[in-house]
Amino acid sequence: MASQVRSLDELPVSALKGAGAHTLKRLEKLSISTVGDLLFHLPLRYEDRTRVTPIGQLKPGDHALVEGRVELAEILPKGRRSLIIRIGDGTGFLDLRFFHYTAKQREQLARGKRLSCYGEVRTGYAGLEMTHPDYKLIDDMDADVSEQALTPVYPLTEGIHQKAIRRLAAQALSMADESRLPDLLPEPLIPAGYRLPLRDALRLLHQPPAGCNETSPKLTAARSRLAFEELLSHHLSLGRFRTQMQAHRAPVLAINRQAAERFVRSLPFALTGAQQRVIAEIEADLCSDRPMMRLVQGDVGSGKTVVAAYAALAALSSNYQVGIMAPTELLAEQHFRNFRQWLEPFGVQIAFLSGRLKGEARKTELEAISSGAAGIVVGTHALFQEQVVFHRLGLIIIDEQHRFGVHQRLALREKGLQDGLYPHQLIMTATPIPRTLAMLGYADLDLSVIDERPPGRTPVKTAVIPTSRRADIIARITDWVSKGRQVYWVCTLIEESEVLQCEAAEKTAVMLAEALPNVRVALIHGRLKPAEKEAVMSAFKERHFDLLVATTVIEVGVDVPNASLMIIENAERLGLAQLHQLRGRVGRGPGEAHCVLLYQPPLSETARQRLGILRDSDDGFVIAEKDLELRGPGELLGTRQTGQIQFRIADLTRDGPLLDAVAQSAAILLKDYPDRAERLIRRWVGHSVQYAGA
Ligand code: ADP
Ligand code: MG
């Protein structure tokens, strides 16, 4: 019986010659398990061994291929013991230095032998030399030692050599024919300009012809061709995930009309048009039996919390529990206060959970949650600890989603699974996600945007000022305070250490209290107990203090409309999104609002540009777009922390412009070639992707 040809997408690398147990383990570290994976493991750069350079023309710093005859071989005991092989080609001499060598090597590299070698040229003791060059002995006197193609240099992991991976990649490439590595993308679906067969693109990138370099248009096109296929596969995979999610059932949550009206009337303000629109979108989702997966995006201060409270009321009306998760203790506490104020009049009990809650208090809360006595549970990521058992969780609200990974979000959802019903999910973020990125990173979510701010907000005037002018700024605080306004002073440090941040804040508070005897100074930082933090915050809100010295714990959620001047130290060290969040604490009431970004000179060109973006714009979306241009998307999506999507070839900064075409081609592919979609997902996404496993 003829054995069926196995696609390289499925063929394990162990099928290659020279891939032993040791090598397989190392390859696994590089996420290479199939021959296909190996082919998508592209070189980082290339070495040019396509030309032989006469030794006489070598300069220090060159990477070059040379050939010559061994003139001298000796062991130098001086300094570090090494084997020196001097070769000559008639134009000059070059020393090859080996600190490690075997007896066999010593024997091979004898006088009169001819060899070629490639390496970096440096100035040695007795002229130019190469240390541990790649070398080959040449037996055939007339052999051409130069190579046809550039030599690939692959990303490596410890314990595996370039040579080994080159051999394996070359072998894989020689197997890649039409039947074993079929083109899955019909040509018309590939953007014009990149239309070359997959195998040709791979061959170009693994073995570029002489005369090319990393940036040659041919190679760039080949890379785009592959990136396109990869992005398309992820797009398809996210789409499939979404479809799977929609096949799940969720409880139907209908809000009680009277309760809804009473709630809206009880608010001290009228909802903005944008808030009303988003509430309507959420209501429509909640009364369907498919789990809602909705992302509410709204700039800092746009009023997301009240929208969440409205959604919570819908779940409560239908006798379901609501879990609200916030990324920081302070924000969780603030939500706890807000929700109590807004929803306790409806007779609901609200529980609070955080990592710091211990002993009896914690036990009481856990019982209230599992018995169902608590209708709402507000907390930090402590909400998905094992001991937390929900009674009837119908709605999960996650605030400032960018702080959580996709996995945490999904874990909480699994916790709520009961009688085959999944809870609805509402995710809120102030970090605007550019549309193209949203298509990939958040493709499993529907999007609602609160694109209007509550009336009466004043734009914050922002100044970028060097720390050398700190004294002027401190002097300004007195004026400000004498007008009855309050001030935030934010201490930041590059060190991730919370302890150091708190110490810096303590010192600053002491310094400011001394410098400003008529100003009442309070201090808040992450090491205070929750009750202490809450006491400081409410004392500040009630104007018992004029100046609040804080660490970045106040980044999210803090809401004191009378505080209208913020000074941020070491602003150049923070991300723009974070600075924008911080700045969002001021400008929440009537009257002028100011933000001073203090920096430590000298400022790099990029840092200057970044702070300039913030000075010139108050619009979170504009800031995010510009930040993306400067920094690349990884940070924005939080992929660093969450490992959300790891691409092999695509790079969203470089390949972002392909995403529109990706979406179009994906739609056609699903309609006309559904079987190809599955194979593409297997080829590129495989089993490695977390969101698909949820
Ligand atoms: P964010 O979207 O940043 O989470 P919040 O929900 O914390 O914003 O709201 C910021 C402030 O605006 C809060 O004091 C809130 O009570 C208030 N607020 C929310 N909606 C409105 C509105 N429609 N009119 C006036 N103030 C509002
Ligand atoms: Mg908020």
Side-chain angles (χ1 to χ4, degrees):
M1 239 167 57
S3 68
Q4 210 196 328
V5 179
R6 231 168 139 192
S7 146
L8 298 187
D9 293 323
E10 324 255 287
L11 191 67
V13 254
S14 57
L16 297 178
K17 272 191 279 201
H22 171 86
T23 307
L24 290 178
K25 228 188 248 140
R26 309 291 145 169
L27 289 176
E28 207 171 289
K29 278 216 172 127
L30 295 168
S31 305
I32 297 172
S33 60
T34 66
V35 176
D37 294 338
L38 186 63
L39 286 171
F40 296 138
H41 188 69
L42 294 186
L44 284 173
R45 56 186 178 83
Y46 305 98
E47 292 172 353
D48 192 350
R49 305 183 187 187
T50 60
R51 273 173 307 122
V52 176
T53 307
I55 291 175
Q57 288 177 14
L58 293 177
K59 293 184 305 300
D62 285 352
H63 288 82
L65 176 71
V66 297
E67 68 173 316
R69 200 173 293 280
V70 177
E71 304 280 344
L72 179 89
E74 62 179 1
I75 300 213
L76 275 190
K78 265 185 259 138
R80 230 174 116 194
R81 186 182 155 93
S82 50
L83 172 65
I84 301 285
I85 305 293
R86 177 164 301 166
I87 61 169
D89 67 351
T91 69
F93 296 103
L94 178 70
D95 283 350
L96 313 181
R97 180 181 292 272
F98 297 88
F99 292 113
H100 318 281
Y101 51 90
T102 59
K104 188 170 161 226
Q105 272 177 313
R106 253 195 84 181
E107 216 169 278
Q108 278 180 340
L109 296 167
R111 256 191 87 156
K113 286 282 170 61
R114 194 174 154 228
L115 54 104
S116 73
C117 54
Y118 180 91
E120 186 182 352
V121 180
R122 294 198 303 196
T123 312
Y125 296 113
L128 295 180
E129 64 177 47
M130 282 183 188
T131 307
H132 287 267
D134 248 7
Y135 72 88
K136 256 192 234 156
L137 287 163
I138 308 166
D139 298 327
D140 176 358
M141 295 312 275
D142 303 319
D144 178 5
V145 303
S146 63
E147 314 224 339
Q148 295 304 307
L150 299 186
T151 307
V153 180
Y154 292 99
L156 288 183
T157 182
E158 214 176 305
I160 185 159
H161 278 288
Q162 277 304 341
K163 276 191 184 158
I165 215 165
R166 272 177 203 149
R167 267 198 302 270
L168 293 171
Q171 228 184 109
L173 214 51
S174 69
M175 295 163 78
D177 57 22
E178 176 70 52
S179 63
R180 298 188 139 212
L181 193 69
D183 266 304
L184 296 173
L185 279 186
E187 203 180 72
L189 294 193
I190 305 173
Y194 314 137
R195 284 181 189 153
L196 68 169
L198 179 69
R199 292 179 307 279
D200 294 357
L202 287 171
R203 191 153 291 126
L204 266 171
L205 289 164
H206 283 280
Q207 299 174 349
C212 277
N213 63 41
E214 279 93 20
T215 56
S216 301
K218 256 192 194 164
L219 298 199
T220 311
R223 217 174 279 121
S224 299
R225 158 73 179 80
L226 297 176
F228 181 80
E229 186 170 324
E230 179 173 33
L231 289 171
L232 179 68
S233 307
H234 277 273
H235 187 93
L236 293 167
S237 160
L238 280 158
R240 185 181 66 177
F241 175 58
R242 192 187 160 93
T243 313
Q244 285 165 354
M245 288 301 103
Q246 283 169 342
H248 289 142
R249 291 279 159 264
V252 173
L253 306 178
I255 197 162
N256 173 311
R257 276 293 127 216
Q258 271 173 339
E261 276 162 30
R262 200 178 127 204
F263 172 71
V264 172
R265 266 201 318 272
S266 75
L267 296 172
F269 46 76
L271 294 172
T272 63
Q275 282 171 323
Q276 290 175 27
R277 192 190 68 238
V278 172
I279 282 175
E281 286 166 355
I282 294 170
E283 269 194 280
D285 286 354
L286 291 179
C287 62
S288 134
D289 66 351
R290 296 186 195 291
M292 168 172 78
M293 304 265 274
R294 186 167 289 278
L295 179 71
V296 172
Q297 181 185 306
D299 206 349
V300 180
S302 61
K304 296 184 287 294
T305 321
V306 69
V307 169
Y310 188 99
L313 203 55
L316 295 169
S317 301
S318 307
N319 280 317
Y320 275 89
Q321 273 180 321
V322 183
I324 301 166
M325 185 160 76
T328 68
E329 192 124 347
L330 200 63
L331 182 53
E333 282 154 20
Q334 181 124 4
H335 283 337
F336 181 54
R337 266 199 306 276
N338 274 328
F339 277 77
R340 272 174 68 180
Q341 196 189 340
W342 285 333
L343 297 177
E344 268 180 359
F346 292 84
V348 53
Q349 187 184 330
I350 305 181
F352 182 80
L353 256 194
S354 85
R356 302 205 181 187
L357 198 66
K358 300 260 152 48
E360 266 318 296
R362 185 177 146 82
K363 225 175 115 201
T364 310
E365 298 297 83
L366 287 176
E367 271 166 22
I369 299 167
S370 62
S371 70
I376 298 183
V377 188
V378 182
T380 58
H381 51 268
L383 283 195
F384 51 65
Q385 281 168 351
E386 214 179 308
Q387 303 88 333
V388 185
V389 180
F390 289 97
H391 178 63
R392 260 158 73 88
L393 186 63
L395 171 65
I396 294 168
I397 299 172
I398 299 177
D399 197 9
E400 304 299 347
Q401 122 95 8
H402 63 287
R403 300 289 205 85
F404 294 106
V406 90
H407 314 127
Q408 286 170 308
R409 167 155 78 76
L410 297 174
L412 192 56
R413 202 195 54 185
E414 288 306 312
K415 256 188 122 55
L417 177 63
Q418 209 168 32
D419 303 331
L421 297 181
Y422 277 97
H424 295 277
Q425 273 197 59
L426 181 65
I427 292 145
M428 306 193 288
T429 183
T431 309
I433 301 146
R435 191 186 56 86
T436 44
L437 281 185
M439 278 170 34
L440 273 178
Y442 293 93
D444 62 322
L445 301 172
D446 291 307
L447 184 66
S448 289
V449 183
I450 307 186
D451 51 6
E452 183 183 350
R453 292 193 201 187
R457 293 287 159 78
T458 32
V460 182
K461 294 199 182 102
T462 301
V464 179
I465 291 175
T467 43
S468 49
R469 286 181 49 206
R470 211 170 181 232
D472 298 351
I473 303 298
I474 293 174
R476 249 173 84 182
I477 291 177
T478 315
D479 293 347
W480 200 255
V481 168
S482 70
K483 288 188 216 152
R485 313 298 304 270
Q486 290 166 285
V487 184
Y488 294 109
W489 185 291
V490 186
C491 299
T492 67
L493 280 180
I494 18 169
E495 288 87 355
E496 292 287 293
S497 154
E498 207 188 346
V499 179
L500 287 177
Q501 253 202 35
C502 298
E503 279 174 7
E506 274 163 11
K507 280 196 196 125
T508 307
V510 171
M511 181 276 289
L512 288 170
E514 275 171 14
L516 302 165
N518 298 321
V519 171
R520 296 164 301 167
V521 179
L523 171 67
I524 190 165
H525 57 61
R527 292 173 80 203
L528 297 181
K529 295 209 178 71
E532 294 170 335
K533 269 190 276 183
E534 196 166 337
V536 174
M537 271 330 294
S538 52
F540 186 62
K541 198 162 184 162
E542 281 155 31
R543 304 206 196 177
H544 298 316
F545 295 101
D546 308 303
L547 170 63
L548 181 64
V549 177
T551 57
T552 48
V553 292
I554 63 154
E555 180 185 342
V556 282
V558 170
D559 189 29
V560 181
N562 188 50
S564 45
L565 168 62
M566 172 176 278
I567 296 128
I568 305 176
E569 288 199 275
N570 301 319
E572 78 279 11
R573 293 168 175 175
L574 298 188
L576 288 196
Q578 196 178 10
L579 285 169
H580 180 60
Q581 282 272 357
L582 276 168
R583 184 174 58 177
R585 303 305 111 208
V586 294
R588 294 180 163 240
E592 271 181 54
H594 292 271
C595 177
V596 176
L597 303 175
L598 284 180
Y599 67 86
Q600 199 81 50
L603 214 49
S604 74
E605 180 53 28
T606 322
R608 202 182 56 75
Q609 282 181 14
R610 294 179 59 235
L611 294 182
I613 294 173
L614 216 62
R615 184 189 53 223
D616 300 339
S617 178
D618 195 19
D619 180 331
F621 197 85
V622 172
I623 294 171
E625 286 278 347
K626 297 227 159 124
D627 200 14
L628 179 70
E629 280 168 28
L630 278 176
R631 290 208 302 179
E635 320 229 357
L636 206 62
L637 280 178
T639 48
R640 297 262 153 92
Q641 296 91 310
T642 63
Q644 192 170 27
I645 299 186
Q646 292 282 351
F647 296 112
R648 302 165 184 211
I649 293 166
D651 167 346
L652 286 177
T653 317
R654 188 190 62 205
D655 302 318
L658 293 175
L659 286 170
D660 273 328
V662 162
Q664 286 166 17
S665 293
I668 300 172
L669 196 84
L670 282 174
K671 189 158 69 61
D672 298 343
Y673 311 88
D675 57 313
R676 305 260 182 126
E678 276 308 309
R679 290 170 69 190
L680 278 166
I681 293 172
R682 269 209 306 279
R683 169 179 288 176
W684 288 97
V685 186
H687 316 286
S688 65
V689 164
Q690 312 286 343
Y691 55 74

